[in-house]
Amino acid sequence: MVKTVRIAIIGMGSVGRGVLKVLADGGSIYPDKGISFRVVAVADSKGAVVNPDGLDPAAILKGKRDGTLKRIGNLSSMDVVREVDYDVLVEVTPTDARTGEPGLDYITEALSQGRHVVTSNKGPIALKYKTLTDLARSNRASLLFEATVGGAMPVFNLIRSPLAGNEIRGVKGIFNGTCNYILTRMIDEELPYEMVLSEAKELGYAEADPTYDVEGIDTALKIVILANSLFGMDVTLRDVSVEGISSITLEALKLASDNGYVVKLIGEVRPNGTEKILRVSPRLVPKTHPLAVQGTLNAALIETQLAGGIVVVGKGAGSVETASAILSDLLYIAMASKQ
Amino acid sequence: MVKTVRIAIIGMGSVGRGVLKVLADGGSIYPDKGISFRVVAVADSKGAVVNPDGLDPAAILKGKRDGTLKRIGNLSSMDVVREVDYDVLVEVTPTDARTGEPGLDYITEALSQGRHVVTSNKGPIALKYKTLTDLARSNRASLLFEATVGGAMPVFNLIRSPLAGNEIRGVKGIFNGTCNYILTRMIDEELPYEMVLSEAKELGYAEADPTYDVEGIDTALKIVILANSLFGMDVTLRDVSVEGISSITLEALKLASDNGYVVKLIGEVRPNGTEKILRVSPRLVPKTHPLAVQGTLNAALIETQLAGGIVVVGKGAGSVETASAILSDLLYIAMASKQ
């Protein structure tokens, strides 16, 4: 017997399109698991497309690409979240680190209705983790957010299942591909920060306003999410000590390299008794250490009491890569709700 | 409601003692998951200890250590597998790559009775994967073997859950800590193979007869297990092209190093259409590649169609580390059988 899981997708940016692409390319049906996904609504700031019998993800993508997608203009994303009948909300609107909106409202509304939520949106999870998980629990709904930290690189799902039974002592790693790219290029090509940053912007590895990445805010948001979800802390961005990479000189990187080190922007969270460690800063990593990964890669070292240190490395961003994390959350919910 | 899962452990070597230690140190009870483990039997070649009401893992360990453990001498391991009432058999006897025995008989008997099996024993899984999984399926039992590949480093559980929905295109990596230790020390200390091998034996990183490790047989067994379980192949050790590290010279490692590479014993499996790739050989890995891990670490690169390449790094051996893999399998079975 195949269980059909109905999905409403809010957001058609890079991640939303990645999810649609994965579903279009065979990711809708899992005969061995007895699961199929049906997209019943897709919405963005321009309106929504709804069909309880299922939309064609490929057609939506094509329509979005060539500008022919016919949205119902007066049906807002919130209307979809409130009124459409779906099982899982895939909330993939852009992150607002200050307010969490508009995603926070959508997630709150869906959970209040007892619907499951899968999100890639760091804002709501970093700002309101406890409120949202309490709401999910009291409505017997799941709230999963693998895609918020490290894109395709599994962290939460790794700890939930393959490392089950392990007490997690701390997590540290490289959680921002833009910073890693800049630091890698600077030392490899012996170029100064500003020049590599310009190049990164041209290649699309850095935003026009790169502050959010290079000043460590994006990494700090991920540290907040890890802190609250893995260690039961109740912290916000203000609790994280943050230093970015914008004042790092090529000379400093060369000096490190001559001594066998690379410089990486490292985010770290560790309960450490009453003295919590929550920090983001450029740090020396031995070149031979598993965290010393290059380019846009992300890497996380998960310290456990039984398995010791486990390092996972993967692509921290990318449309389809991030969609892979969302898909694993969707499958987890689908499998759990089958039983 | 707490579900009690009854465990019978066959084997009291390093892994068996690790499992007992983990269970003694708080690993028996998971209030948040509603699961507790009860050891109802422990057996080795000298006899067995049985108590349907539960044995004290700490007392067994102490008795084993100081030689005071009172086994029932005429109760064999097979008697325990056949006659004791348990839910999961933890089969952790030593690997025999040629026959798979005695583990193969124990696993076959337990599965025939419809009991779940968790094993760290590479022999039975490499030799009889299809037979054993068919037997498990027809008896509605689970057969899990995370501990057979990479010790604490999750591979199967990583693919099952965090990478769910991804098609696995290939796996390659470092699956033998002894070889990795030898290759790392040779280049770091500029010492010849024979000298480092002697040192590794003294430190307990290599066996008195290191053939199994240094000639690549251990890695090849793991490649067979990955091939059969991840890619549905039906292959044995004979199908793997195997070259070990015993003829590698320090000069070769130096030449590689001067050109930015390290030499690693790499196992690889890839379906590759009709032309299967199954090989173990020393290969050049760029020093900056995530697989270029040092010392006794293991590392696996899992290539997927959505998430891209995911690398996981961890301790490939060790008593408690391997027990961590067994524990994650036990928890998976316990959670599944709760529903």
Side-chain angles (χ1 to χ4, degrees):
Chain A
M1 208 197 61
V2 172
K3 183 183 167 73
T4 300
V5 177
R6 297 163 305 165
I7 298 173
I9 301 172
I10 309 295
M12 271 193 272
S14 164
V15 180
R17 293 197 305 274
V19 172
L20 287 166
K21 181 159 172 29
V22 165
L23 294 173
D25 293 351
S28 294
I29 304 171
Y30 298 84
D32 56 321
K33 299 182 200 288
I35 287 165
S36 83
F37 295 113
R38 177 190 294 164
V39 179
V40 294
V42 179
D44 65 7
S45 54
K46 293 183 191 150
V49 195
V50 177
N51 186 345
D53 296 327
L55 297 160
D56 175 5
I60 303 264
L61 275 177
K62 186 176 177 303
K64 165 86 182 166
R65 200 166 43 232
D66 60 22
T68 60
L69 183 65
K70 286 200 181 59
R71 299 170 179 85
I72 310 170
N74 59 355
L75 196 67
S76 72
S77 292
M78 187 52 110
D79 292 337
V80 168
V81 175
R82 271 208 193 101
E83 289 157 33
V84 172
D85 198 12
Y86 56 89
D87 303 303
V88 189
L89 183 74
V90 174
E91 198 286 312
V92 288
T93 64
T95 289
D96 181 320
R98 203 175 46 81
T99 67
E101 298 299 354
L104 182 54
D105 277 352
Y106 303 150
I107 295 172
T108 303
E109 176 61 27
L111 293 175
S112 303
Q113 290 185 22
R115 303 195 199 263
H116 307 298
V117 174
V118 173
T119 187
S120 61
N121 192 339
K122 292 178 282 288
I125 307 298
L127 285 167
K128 296 286 175 189
Y129 176 78
K130 198 171 172 332
T131 309
L132 293 175
T133 47
D134 286 350
L135 184 63
R137 197 174 301 114
S138 62
N139 287 285
R140 295 170 166 274
S142 293
L143 170 62
L144 297 181
F145 44 87
E146 179 64 66
T148 58
V149 178
M153 178 180 83
V155 177
F156 303 106
N157 293 343
L158 182 70
I159 289 170
R160 184 174 58 208
S161 176
L163 296 178
N166 272 279
E167 181 194 309
I168 309 301
R169 303 239 160 118
V171 177
K172 69 177 165 188
I174 297 169
F175 298 106
N176 185 280
T178 304
C179 291
N180 202 22
Y181 175 83
I182 292 172
L183 293 171
T184 303
R185 285 289 289 178
M186 281 175 71
I187 187 68
D188 283 1
E189 307 296 323
E190 304 208 349
L191 293 171
Y193 173 80
E194 289 300 339
M195 200 171 287
V196 174
L197 178 59
S198 302
E199 181 201 64
K201 284 182 192 174
E202 275 166 36
L203 290 166
Y205 291 158
E207 305 281 336
D209 175 2
T211 313
Y212 183 72
D213 291 315
V214 299
E215 296 305 343
I217 303 159
D218 174 68
T219 303
L221 274 181
K222 290 160 179 171
I223 290 300
V224 168
I225 293 173
L226 291 165
N228 293 342
S229 65
L230 298 180
F231 300 108
M233 297 183 190
D234 191 7
V235 296
T236 66
L237 214 42
R238 279 188 302 274
D239 299 298
V240 186
S241 147
V242 185
E243 185 190 339
I245 63 163
S246 58
S247 55
I248 288 183
T249 62
L250 176 58
E251 287 60 42
L253 298 190
K254 277 186 186 166
L255 185 64
S257 182
D258 291 345
N259 287 285
Y261 292 90
V262 285
V263 176
K264 299 291 180 188
L265 185 70
I266 299 289
E268 180 175 16
V269 53
R270 187 179 301 279
N272 214 33
T274 52
E275 188 203 354
K276 295 170 194 153
I277 292 175
L278 288 155
R279 65 169 167 169
V280 175
S281 56
R283 286 162 75 174
L284 293 173
V285 178
K287 286 179 182 174
T288 55
H289 191 281
L291 282 183
V293 298
Q294 305 276 95
T296 59
L297 285 174
N298 282 22
L301 167 59
I302 300 162
E303 290 169 42
T304 73
Q305 101 281 25
L306 300 176
I310 297 286
V311 174
V312 61
V313 179
K315 292 183 181 168
S319 172
V320 166
E321 289 81 358
T322 306
S324 163
I326 288 175
L327 182 63
S328 79
D329 283 349
L330 283 172
L331 281 166
Y332 183 85
I333 288 173
M335 295 296 283
S337 63
K338 264 195 87 173
Q339 280 151 343
Chain B
M1 208 196 62
V2 173
K3 183 184 168 70
T4 300
V5 177
R6 298 162 305 165
I7 298 173
I9 301 172
I10 310 296
M12 271 193 273
S14 164
V15 180
R17 294 198 304 274
V19 172
L20 287 165
K21 181 159 173 30
V22 166
L23 293 173
D25 292 350
S28 294
I29 305 171
Y30 298 84
D32 56 323
K33 298 181 200 288
I35 287 166
S36 84
F37 294 112
R38 177 189 294 165
V39 179
V40 294
V42 179
D44 65 8
S45 55
K46 293 183 189 149
V49 195
V50 178
N51 186 343
D53 297 327
L55 297 160
D56 175 4
I60 303 264
L61 274 177
K62 185 176 177 302
K64 164 88 183 166
R65 202 166 41 233
D66 61 21
T68 60
L69 183 64
K70 287 202 179 59
R71 298 172 180 85
I72 311 169
N74 59 355
L75 196 66
S76 72
S77 292
M78 188 50 111
D79 292 337
V80 168
V81 175
R82 272 208 193 100
E83 290 158 31
V84 171
D85 198 12
Y86 56 90
D87 302 302
V88 189
L89 183 74
V90 174
E91 198 285 313
V92 288
T93 64
T95 289
D96 181 321
R98 205 175 46 81
T99 67
E101 298 300 353
L104 181 54
D105 277 353
Y106 303 150
I107 294 173
T108 303
E109 176 61 28
L111 293 176
S112 303
Q113 291 185 21
R115 302 195 199 265
H116 307 298
V117 174
V118 172
T119 187
S120 62
N121 191 339
K122 291 179 282 289
I125 307 298
L127 286 166
K128 296 285 175 189
Y129 176 78
K130 196 171 172 333
T131 309
L132 293 175
T133 47
D134 286 350
L135 185 63
R137 197 174 300 115
S138 62
N139 288 284
R140 296 171 165 274
S142 293
L143 170 62
L144 297 181
F145 44 88
E146 180 63 66
T148 58
V149 177
M153 178 180 82
V155 178
F156 304 106
N157 293 342
L158 181 70
I159 289 170
R160 184 174 58 210
S161 177
L163 296 178
N166 272 278
E167 181 194 308
I168 308 301
R169 302 241 160 115
V171 177
K172 69 178 167 189
I174 297 169
F175 298 106
N176 185 280
T178 304
C179 291
N180 202 22
Y181 175 82
I182 292 172
L183 293 172
T184 303
R185 285 289 287 180
M186 280 175 73
I187 186 69
D188 283 2
E189 306 296 324
E190 304 209 349
L191 292 171
Y193 174 80
E194 289 300 339
M195 201 171 286
V196 175
L197 178 60
S198 303
E199 180 201 66
K201 285 181 190 173
E202 275 165 35
L203 290 166
Y205 292 158
E207 306 281 335
D209 175 1
T211 312
Y212 183 72
D213 290 316
V214 299
E215 297 304 345
I217 305 160
D218 174 68
T219 303
L221 274 180
K222 290 160 179 171
I223 289 299
V224 168
I225 293 173
L226 292 165
N228 293 342
S229 64
L230 298 180
F231 300 108
M233 296 183 191
D234 191 8
V235 296
T236 67
L237 213 43
R238 279 188 302 276
D239 300 297
V240 186
S241 147
V242 185
E243 185 190 339
I245 63 163
S246 58
S247 55
I248 287 183
T249 62
L250 176 57
E251 286 62 41
L253 298 190
K254 277 186 186 166
L255 185 65
S257 182
D258 291 345
N259 288 283
Y261 292 89
V262 285
V263 176
K264 299 292 181 188
L265 186 69
I266 299 289
E268 179 176 17
V269 54
R270 186 180 301 279
N272 214 35
T274 52
E275 187 202 356
K276 296 170 192 154
I277 292 175
L278 287 155
R279 65 168 169 173
V280 175
S281 57
R283 285 162 78 175
L284 293 174
V285 177
K287 285 179 182 173
T288 55
H289 191 281
L291 282 182
V293 298
Q294 304 276 94
T296 59
L297 285 174
N298 283 21
L301 167 59
I302 300 161
E303 291 169 42
T304 73
Q305 100 281 24
L306 300 176
I310 297 287
V311 173
V312 60
V313 179
K315 292 184 181 166
S319 173
V320 166
E321 288 82 358
T322 306
S324 163
I326 288 175
L327 181 63
S328 79
D329 282 349
L330 283 172
L331 282 166
Y332 183 84
I333 288 172
M335 294 297 283
S337 63
K338 268 195 84 173
Q339 280 151 342

